[in-house]
């Protein structure tokens, strides 16, 4: 700005020396023309400069215009006076030069006004920011309050889980369990806490998982077993409802593989209900159970074992394993029947294992029975005869071993000789 002013002053001096007489001759005309021309650019500039100020802040419009206008007028007066000393040909140059200082003065005047407005803007922004911050802070506090209010205990969270979700979490804990496998365990032992404890011990879950970190722990096992117990038909049935089912079982005649299989399922379910009544009533003698439910329990147990032995020869190995555990649970509950059918059920199960190819387990069961019994003729006969359809050489070998303990005084001696000569 100072450099421009110096150049203009130098030009003005030159003009004064060269054109002084001409200016005096036409003073009035030049003055009028110059005022008009000088005023127009100044006004246009003012409009352009004032518009941004108006857009930014309406209240500051009047103050800015007044402050900017005064210096502009003063500038005009100085310009007119200078123009009086110039020639007519220098009109255009003078007009342009006169307009520039007006613009410069306006810029200088507008800048302070803008500087004053800026702090006000920042202050407003700060207030707005402060309000937003306060709102955010309030929202956060409210959210935290809601979360705290809705927080549930571990037991409450477990209670809201579905059975399928519990089973999925059990898999995540490396438990190889299904709803059916848990039902089977509950049938043998309908106590939820006892079955849960057995599962925790079996899979070594104590202290292995942390609820806060993993979302589950060993406490989930009891929840799972409890949900299975609640949703499955494993509760004791009324005695009168069982009587018709037991009567049907005692009168059933073997027909074919399919029909016998369906009957086995039905009798298994009935026997399960009989067992559960005995467990809940804490009955350990079949005669006492007869009086409780009005059926011949021993006859039903024998019929059930006969049907199972026939059907399970063609079923899967896993079915044999489950039957073994189930029938031993029945005989362990009814102690008088255990003493009567202990050897018979062990041989039945051993035969079924041999027929399904598990010779090691079948042989081990027979070896145990032979060691525990003094009268061995029937046991040897059963043992040898089951191998006749599997391995005849082994069947003859077993019959030959029997002759060390069995002679013609024993009931099943002829049967053992028949296997040996067969």
């Amino acid at each position: 700005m100072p450099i421009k002013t110096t150049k203009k002053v130098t030009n003005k001096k030159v003009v004064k020396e060269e054109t002084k007489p001409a200016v005096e001759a036409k003073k009035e005309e030049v003055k009028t023309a110059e005022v008009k021309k000088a005023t127009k650019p100044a006004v246009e500039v003012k409009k352009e400069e004032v518009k941004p100020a108006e857009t930014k802040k309406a209240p500051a419009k009047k103050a800015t215009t007044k402050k900017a206008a005064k210096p502009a007028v003063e500038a005009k007066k100085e310009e007119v006076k200078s123009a009086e000393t110039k020639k007519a040909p220098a009109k255009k140059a003078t007009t342009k030069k006169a307009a520039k200082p007006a613009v410069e003065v306006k810029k200088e005047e507008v800048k302070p006004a803008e500087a004053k407005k800026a702090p006000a803007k920042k202050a407003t922004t700060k207030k707005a920011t402060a309000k937003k911050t306060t709102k955010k802070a309030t929202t956060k506090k409210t959210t935290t309050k809601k979360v705290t209010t809705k927080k549930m205990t571990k037991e409450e969270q477990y209670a809201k889980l579905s059975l399928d979700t519990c089973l999925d979490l059990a898999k995540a804990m490396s438990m190889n369990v299904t709803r059916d496998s848990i039902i089977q365990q509950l049938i043998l032992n309908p106590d939820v806490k006892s079955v849960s404890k057995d599962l925790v011990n079996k899979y070594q879950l104590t202290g292995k998982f942390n609820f806060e970190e993993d979302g589950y722990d060993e406490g989930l096992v009891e929840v799972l077993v409890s949900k299975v117990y609640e949703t499955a038909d494993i509760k004791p049935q009324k005695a009168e409802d069982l009587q018709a089912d037991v009567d049907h079982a005692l009168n059933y005649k073997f027909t074919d593989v399919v029909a016998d299989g369906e009957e086995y399922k039905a009798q298994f379910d009935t026997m399960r209900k009989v067992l559960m009544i005995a467990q809940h009533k804490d009955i350990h003698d079949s005669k006492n159970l007869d009086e409780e439910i009005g059926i011949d329990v021993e006859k039903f147990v024998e019929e059930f074992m006969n049907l199972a032995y026939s059907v399970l020869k063609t079923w899967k190995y896993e079915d044999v394993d489950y039957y073994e555990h189930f029938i031993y649970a029945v005989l362990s509950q009814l102690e008088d029947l255990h003493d009567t059918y202990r050897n018979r059920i062990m041989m039945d199960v051993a035969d079924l294992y041999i027929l399904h190819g598990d010779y090691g387990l079948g042989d081990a069961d027979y070896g145990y029975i032979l060691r525990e019994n003094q009268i061995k003729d029937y046991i040897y006969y059963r043992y040898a005869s089951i191998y006749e359809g599997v391995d005849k050489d082994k069947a003859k070998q077993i019959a030959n071993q029997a002759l060390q303990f069995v002679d013609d005084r024993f009931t099943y001696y002829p049967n053992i000789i028949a296997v040996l000569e067969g």
Side-chain angles (χ1 to χ4, degrees), residues 37-273:
K37 288 181 182 179
T39 303
K40 282 182 182 178
V43 171
E44 288 171 3
V45 172
K46 275 197 282 180
K47 283 181 182 178
E48 289 172 2
E49 290 300 325
V50 171
K51 277 182 183 178
E54 289 172 351
T55 306
K56 289 179 183 176
K57 195 170 182 183
K61 185 175 178 182
K62 290 179 181 179
T64 307
T65 308
K66 286 177 183 178
K67 286 178 183 179
K70 284 179 183 179
V73 173
E74 289 170 7
K76 281 185 219 172
K77 286 179 182 179
E78 288 174 7
E79 287 166 11
V80 172
K81 285 179 183 178
S82 300
E84 289 172 3
T85 59
K86 292 178 185 177
K87 285 183 180 178
K91 257 185 190 178
K92 288 181 183 178
T94 307
T95 304
K96 286 180 183 178
K97 287 176 184 177
K100 285 181 182 178
V103 174
E104 288 167 11
V105 171
K106 287 269 311 200
K107 282 183 181 177
E108 288 174 1
E109 289 301 319
V110 170
K111 279 182 182 178
E114 288 174 354
K116 287 177 184 176
K117 289 175 194 174
K121 221 174 187 181
K122 285 180 183 176
T124 308
T125 309
K126 282 181 182 177
K127 285 178 184 177
T129 309
K131 283 180 183 177
K132 286 179 183 177
T133 310
T134 308
K135 282 182 183 178
K136 285 180 182 177
T138 308
T139 308
K140 284 182 180 177
K141 284 179 184 177
T142 307
T143 307
T144 308
K145 257 188 177 179
K146 285 181 182 177
V147 171
T148 307
T149 306
K150 289 184 179 179
K151 192 175 181 182
M152 296 181 292
T153 64
K154 180 178 76 174
E155 289 72 20
E156 289 173 335
Q157 290 184 55
Y158 275 158
K160 289 195 172 185
L161 296 176
S162 66
L163 176 57
D164 289 338
T165 303
C166 288
L167 287 168
D168 290 339
L169 292 175
K171 287 179 183 177
M173 295 167 74
S174 302
M175 293 178 68
N176 184 22
V177 293
T178 62
R179 182 175 181 270
D180 289 339
S181 70
I182 294 171
I183 288 174
Q184 290 172 3
Q185 287 181 270
L186 286 167
I187 289 171
L188 304 179
N189 178 14
D191 184 75
V192 171
K193 289 187 179 295
S194 178
V195 171
S196 303
K197 187 177 179 182
D198 290 344
L199 288 171
V200 168
N201 292 336
K202 180 181 178 180
Y203 292 101
Q204 300 177 352
L205 299 177
T206 305
K208 192 174 181 180
F209 299 97
N210 183 280
F211 180 79
E212 297 299 329
E213 295 176 5
D214 303 308
Y216 47 79
D217 58 13
E218 66 268 21
L220 175 71
V221 177
E222 187 172 334
V223 177
L224 170 60
V225 175
S226 178
K227 287 181 183 292
V228 171
Y229 184 83
E230 289 167 4
T231 57
D233 180 23
I234 51 178
K235 298 173 183 65
Q237 196 169 351
K238 291 179 181 179
E240 54 269 26
D241 297 331
L242 286 175
Q243 290 168 1
D245 294 336
V246 172
D247 288 340
H248 171 79
L250 294 176
N251 293 306
Y252 180 76
K253 303 299 180 184
F254 289 24
T255 52
D256 55 55
V257 176
V258 177
D260 292 350
E262 292 302 316
E263 180 63 20
Y264 170 72
K265 290 177 183 177
Q267 288 193 20
F268 188 100
D269 188 55
T270 304
M271 182 60 73
R272 173 174 62 80
K273 293 170 182 176

Side-chain angles (χ1 to χ4, degrees), residues 178-394:
T178 62
R179 182 175 181 270
D180 289 339
S181 70
I182 294 171
I183 288 174
Q184 290 172 3
Q185 287 181 270
L186 286 167
I187 289 171
L188 304 179
N189 178 14
D191 184 75
V192 171
K193 289 187 179 295
S194 178
V195 171
S196 303
K197 187 177 179 182
D198 290 344
L199 288 171
V200 168
N201 292 336
K202 180 181 178 180
Y203 292 101
Q204 300 177 352
L205 299 177
T206 305
K208 192 174 181 180
F209 299 97
N210 183 280
F211 180 79
E212 297 299 329
E213 295 176 5
D214 303 308
Y216 47 79
D217 58 13
E218 66 268 21
L220 175 71
V221 177
E222 187 172 334
V223 177
L224 170 60
V225 175
S226 178
K227 287 181 183 292
V228 171
Y229 184 83
E230 289 167 4
T231 57
D233 180 23
I234 51 178
K235 298 173 183 65
Q237 196 169 351
K238 291 179 181 179
E240 54 269 26
D241 297 331
L242 286 175
Q243 290 168 1
D245 294 336
V246 172
D247 288 340
H248 171 79
L250 294 176
N251 293 306
Y252 180 76
K253 303 299 180 184
F254 289 24
T255 52
D256 55 55
V257 176
V258 177
D260 292 350
E262 292 302 316
E263 180 63 20
Y264 170 72
K265 290 177 183 177
Q267 288 193 20
F268 188 100
D269 188 55
T270 304
M271 182 60 73
R272 173 174 62 80
K273 293 170 182 176
V274 169
L275 172 61
M276 295 190 75
I277 290 172
Q279 290 171 332
H280 280 276
K281 298 286 185 178
D282 196 27
I283 298 172
H284 296 277
D285 187 275
S286 63
K287 297 293 184 279
N288 294 337
L289 188 58
D290 289 351
E291 294 174 4
E292 183 69 31
I293 59 179
I295 64 170
D296 190 333
V297 175
E298 184 174 354
K299 279 187 180 179
F300 178 47
V301 169
E302 189 173 5
E303 173 61 29
F304 176 65
M305 289 192 296
N306 292 338
L307 181 62
Y309 185 73
S310 174
V311 169
L312 294 176
K313 287 178 181 179
T314 58
W315 280 26
K316 294 180 181 179
Y317 179 91
E318 291 78 9
D319 298 316
V320 176
D321 180 65
Y322 182 59
Y323 168 72
E324 178 187 14
H325 288 87
F326 177 68
I327 197 61
Y328 274 120
V330 173
L331 297 178
S332 296
Q333 182 68 31
L334 303 172
E335 295 169 359
D336 62 318
L337 297 185
H338 182 272
D339 294 337
T340 305
Y341 296 101
R342 176 178 55 189
N343 286 340
R344 185 261 171 94
I345 198 61
M346 285 187 73
M347 286 186 285
D348 283 358
V349 171
D351 287 352
L352 292 170
Y353 279 131
I354 289 169
L355 291 173
H356 282 82
D358 193 345
Y359 309 125
L361 187 54
D363 292 346
D365 284 347
Y366 267 112
Y368 174 80
I369 300 168
L370 288 167
R371 287 191 302 272
E372 294 297 316
N373 289 272
Q374 294 299 318
I375 300 174
K376 305 177 189 292
D377 62 324
Y378 178 69
I379 301 169
Y380 267 117
Y381 165 66
R382 284 278 305 259
Y383 189 19
S385 64
I386 198 64
Y387 268 105
E388 280 192 293
V390 177
D391 185 345
K392 281 196 173 183
D393 291 336
K394 188 166 183 177

